[in-house]
């Protein structure tokens, strides 16, 4: 007896079988990891530059344009979009769908290392996976001792060597930026009257300071 005759001879059993198959199919459909509208947004990498007191024209000429010149050679790069304002610039790099973003992040870091030197008071660029919509978290460190001030100059190396690695080890964290970290600076105080007596010009002094690349030996 074929399946059609068997189901016709047992209508109740046939209905029960169909109900069981329908319930199992509905349950499997709910749990099925299928995305009907897949995400086709371009994978992105963001670069943020900070340069205090710099005008937008200075940011663009001294930081953004030199960086864009070296970034354009990255394979798989589809577009570069930069937004510049006073003291800050944001560059978004968009890549082909399906690109290995960990490798592209390394390509961006290598390209940025080939960019011309930054102005002396410009901060190191912040490079991270994702565009501006990526989730961010801010951690505020505060001293709890009585009478403690907000100066963390003496604690910067402790934060860099202890706090930053601990935050980077958290699963899902792609980058950690220490926004309050201050790079070591050398302050030079000169006597303008003494310079005038010696026949020295301020421009020649500045040129001499800029020409010094390594003062580690004193």
């Amino acid at each position: 007896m074929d399946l059609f005759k068997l189901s016709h001879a047992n209508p109740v059993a046939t209905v029960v079988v169909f109900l069981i198959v329908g319930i199992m199919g509905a349950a499997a459909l709910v749990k099925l990891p299928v995305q009907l509208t897949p995400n086709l947004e371009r994978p992105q990498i963001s670069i943020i530059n900070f340069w205090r007191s710099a005008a937008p024209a200075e940011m663009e000429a001294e930081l953004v344009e030199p960086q864009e010149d070296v970034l354009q050679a990255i394979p798989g790069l589809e577009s570069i979009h930069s937004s510049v304002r006073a003291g800050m610039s944001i560059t978004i790099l968009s890549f082909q769908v399906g690109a290995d973003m960990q490798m592209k992040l390394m390509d961006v870091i290598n390209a940025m290392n080939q960019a011309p030197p930054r102005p002396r008071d410009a901060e190191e660029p912040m490079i991270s996976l994702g565009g501006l919509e990526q989730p961010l978290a801010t951690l505020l460190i505060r001293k709890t001792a009585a009478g403690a001030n907000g100066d963390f100059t003496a604690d910067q190396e402790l934060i860099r060597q202890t706090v930053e690695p601990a935050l980077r080890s958290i699963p899902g964290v792609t980058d950690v930026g220490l926004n309050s970290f201050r790079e070591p600076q050398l302050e030079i105080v000169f006597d303008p009257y003494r310079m005038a007596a010696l026949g020295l010009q301020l421009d020649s002094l500045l040129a001499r300071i800029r020409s010094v690349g390594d003062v580690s030996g004193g």
Side-chain angles (χ1 to χ4, degrees), residues 57 59-72 82 116:
M59 292 288 300
E60 184 174 6
E62 299 293 333
L63 285 176
V64 177
E65 290 182 351
Q67 291 175 2
E68 289 182 345
D69 290 340
V70 298
L71 291 170
Q72 289 176 354
S82 296

Side-chain angles (χ1 to χ4, degrees), residues 94-156:
S94 298
F95 294 86
Q96 298 174 353
V97 175
D100 185 346
M101 294 309 295
Q102 292 296 335
M103 292 298 300
K104 295 306 175 185
L105 180 61
M106 296 301 300
D107 292 340
V108 171
I109 294 175
N110 292 333
M112 291 291 289
N113 290 333
Q114 299 174 13
R118 304 184 305 274
R120 296 179 64 88
D121 53 347
E123 299 182 17
E124 184 177 354
M126 298 174 57
I127 306 174
S128 57
L129 288 171
L132 297 181
E133 72 281 356
Q134 60 182 325
L136 299 175
T138 301
L139 175 64
L140 177 64
I141 301 177
R142 180 179 296 177
K143 295 182 179 180
T144 58
N149 56 28
D151 187 5
F152 281 86
T153 304
D155 305 303
Q156 289 189 142

Side-chain angles (χ1 to χ4, degrees), residues 127-201:
I127 306 174
S128 57
L129 288 171
L132 297 181
E133 72 281 356
Q134 60 182 325
L136 299 175
T138 301
L139 175 64
L140 177 64
I141 301 177
R142 180 179 296 177
K143 295 182 179 180
T144 58
N149 56 28
D151 187 5
F152 281 86
T153 304
D155 305 303
Q156 289 189 142
E157 282 303 320
L158 176 63
I159 296 174
R160 183 198 288 269
Q161 298 177 12
T162 304
V163 178
E164 182 181 8
L167 295 176
R168 287 185 182 275
S169 64
I170 299 175
V173 174
T174 59
D175 186 51
V176 177
L178 304 178
N179 294 334
S180 62
F181 194 87
R182 298 179 182 177
E183 297 293 341
Q185 296 182 356
L186 175 64
E187 182 179 0
I188 300 176
V189 181
F190 62 91
D191 186 347
Y193 300 102
R194 182 64 175 167
M195 286 182 57
L198 296 175
L200 298 176
Q201 300 293 326

Side-chain angles (χ1 to χ4, degrees), residues 40-45 93-99 101 130-131:
L40 297 180
E41 293 182 359
R42 301 295 180 187
Q44 296 178 331
I45 293 178
L93 310 177
S94 298
F95 294 86
Q96 298 174 353
V97 175
M101 294 309 295

Side-chain angles (χ1 to χ4, degrees), residues 17-32:
V17 170
F18 272 102
L19 287 176
I20 294 175
V21 173
I23 293 173
M24 294 178 61
L29 182 63
V30 173
K31 297 182 179 181
L32 192 64

